Amino acid sequence: MSGAPKAGIVVVGSLNADLTIYTDRLPKPGETVHGNGFAVNPGGKSANQAVAASKLGGQVTLIGAVGEDPNGTMLLDSTASAGVDVSRVLRADVATGVAVISVDASGENSIIISAGANGTLTPADVEPAAFSDAAVVCLCLEVGIDTVVAAAQAGHDAGATVLLNLSPYAEVPEELAGLSDVLLVNAHEASLFLGSEADIPDAEAGAGAWEPVRSQFADRGLQRVLVTLGAQGSVVLDSLAHGAEDQITRIAPTRVTAVDTTGAGDAFTGAVAARLAAGDSLAHAAAFASVAAALAATKKGTQAAYPSAAEVEELRG
Ligand code: ADP
């Protein structure tokens, strides 16, 4: 075999219009509070991840579906203008997916999603030809699980690294876990996945505290896991690393003044995809992603807040 190694990234999943209202504090159930700003922005976990990876230099193809409506056009324009190949994004005869987001003064958010066109994406839309140049396939759980499994299978068959962001959390079939080379979860998703016995260590915990978590993931067939911890950074659990000391790597947080953490996890995931496709180790990819996601949290919105590789390198110093 000759030729350059594959470097493409195929992202399969959701595109949503983010309807965001900014408020001092989030309302309690039954309560009405005043907002102090409203914006409609392109979003959806997969669109965000695709844009994040593309802005960081990845060659990204997005597979998904939007409606024949202005939100759909906005999403195609925003992803395409970030350099993403959108020729495989379908236009369905239902409304584009939306996410209704509230963000409080501390940058904390709450989100409700209506899947719309994302729900029309089927396994048949996941064409193997799209994966021929894939080094990394990036998946989340905002489209039907059968479609996610089909994409994982296509990525696996193409020899790509399958990166599964288990978000928003749902139970997944064993088959999907088996096809996933790297699992990416926040602390909440990690404890839901492992079950009630799982204690996710706090920010200051050392490698010893993470060892049982690594081992529980490995027992479930997940050898390589990234756990994000919000402002506290992240942890790489790599059961395939040779020495025990390399199996758990703590990635220190990047200290920033967060304005809006919406989509920070997607920036992290897209950045991991971009760096894995470029040939980085998992720990190096996570360290880079930590800076990219922190930068994303310093600006309002999601895709427009995502940094370039040069901006990440500048902050890394
Ligand atoms: P999610 O948004 O999926 O819940 P996290 O909250 O764990 O995920 O955030 C994902 C990543 O984004 C973190 O691991 C971290 O690198 C970065 N991040 C999130 N919030 C902040 C913050 N306030 N300051 C710095 N980095 C942050």
Side-chain angles (χ1 to χ4, degrees), residues 45 106 109 165 167 184-187 189 227-235 251-259 261-269 286 289-295 297:
K45 294 191 74 65
S106 74
N109 63 50
N165 178 207
S167 181
L184 200 156
V185 282
N186 64 21
E189 292 149 4
V227 184
T228 63
L229 303 168
Q232 312 301 330
S234 54
V235 176
I251 308 291
T254 304
R255 306 259 177 229
V256 291
T257 304
V259 171
T261 60
T262 314
D266 296 335
F268 190 97
T269 306
S290 171
V291 180
L295 277 171

Side-chain angles (χ1 to χ4, degrees), residues 185-203:
V185 282
N186 64 21
H188 179 62
E189 292 149 4
S191 67
L192 287 173
F193 180 80
L194 293 176
S196 54
E197 78 281 8
D199 259 344
I200 301 303
D202 63 21

Side-chain angles (χ1 to χ4, degrees), residues 5-11 50 53-62 83-85 133-136 273-274 277:
K6 293 179 181 181
I9 300 163
V10 180
V11 181
S54 184
K55 281 182 139 182
L56 292 167
Q59 297 162 36
V60 184
T61 300
L62 178 60
V84 175
D85 176 354
D133 191 39
V136 173

Side-chain angles (χ1 to χ4, degrees), residues 222-264:
L222 289 149
Q223 312 283 346
R224 308 177 83 203
V225 181
L226 296 175
V227 184
T228 63
L229 303 168
Q232 312 301 330
S234 54
V235 176
V236 183
L237 308 173
D238 188 351
S239 301
L240 299 181
H242 288 309
E245 71 281 5
D246 291 332
Q247 294 193 339
I248 295 166
T249 306
R250 193 75 177 74
I251 308 291
T254 304
R255 306 259 177 229
V256 291
T257 304
V259 171
D260 180 2
T261 60
T262 314

